[in-house]
Amino acid sequence: QVQLVESGGGSVQAGGSLRLSCAASRYTDSTYCMGWFRQAPGKEREGVASISYRFGITRYTDSVKGRFTISQDNAKNTLYLQMNSLKPEDTAMYYCAAGGGLCGLGPSHYNYWGQGTQVTVSS
């Protein structure tokens, strides 16, 4: 089992920044891929960014390219999401996820999920 705990959410004005963190209890073959997802009320869960643990290859959904950066600190077993130039449409619950398959942006690729951290962006 892998436990994931997110932190760093909050309320900011449009144009502001936040950095989300996700502490993983351990890295194993089951955490080959790590990702950030978000879900707004009434909407489906959306993949935001992913990273492969071994090679550091990253993927982003189009709406956050150039604004968000996913990174990891392997020594600390921690995943990050730096979010800049935040927009009201970025408002959602953000989830950290881990999986051992393809490092895509589809939720079905991931087996372990954190409890989520709320991000609210006001205009």
Side-chain angles (χ1 to χ4, degrees):
Q1 284 289 341
V2 176
Q3 282 77 46
L4 303 172
V5 180
E6 303 99 332
S7 61
S11 298
V12 296
Q13 290 188 330
S17 298
L18 284 173
R19 188 176 81 155
L20 306 183
S21 299
C22 172
S25 57
R26 61 194 182 116
Y27 277 151
T28 70
D29 288 344
S30 296
T31 56
Y32 180 79
C33 300
M34 301 288 291
W36 287 99
F37 293 78
R38 64 187 180 187
Q39 189 166 18
K43 294 188 177 181
E44 293 186 353
R45 190 165 296 191
E46 171 192 28
V48 175
S50 67
I51 188 168
S52 65
Y53 172 71
R54 185 173 301 174
F55 300 108
I57 298 172
T58 58
R59 291 186 175 89
Y60 297 91
T61 192
D62 286 345
S63 63
V64 307
K65 286 179 180 177
R67 299 189 298 123
F68 290 11
T69 302
I70 188 171
S71 62
Q72 59 191 21
D73 184 332
N74 295 351
K76 297 181 179 179
N77 286 357
T78 302
L79 180 74
Y80 301 100
L81 184 69
Q82 178 65 44
M83 305 185 294
N84 298 328
S85 302
L86 282 161
K87 303 176 180 180
E89 50 264 43
D90 294 319
T91 296
M93 184 71 78
Y94 282 72
Y95 298 90
C96 170
L102 299 175
C103 299
L105 296 178
S108 63
H109 296 166
Y110 297 82
N111 306 109
Y112 301 101
W113 294 85
Q115 81 290 349
T117 186
Q118 178 67 37
V119 172
T120 302
V121 184
S122 58
S123 57

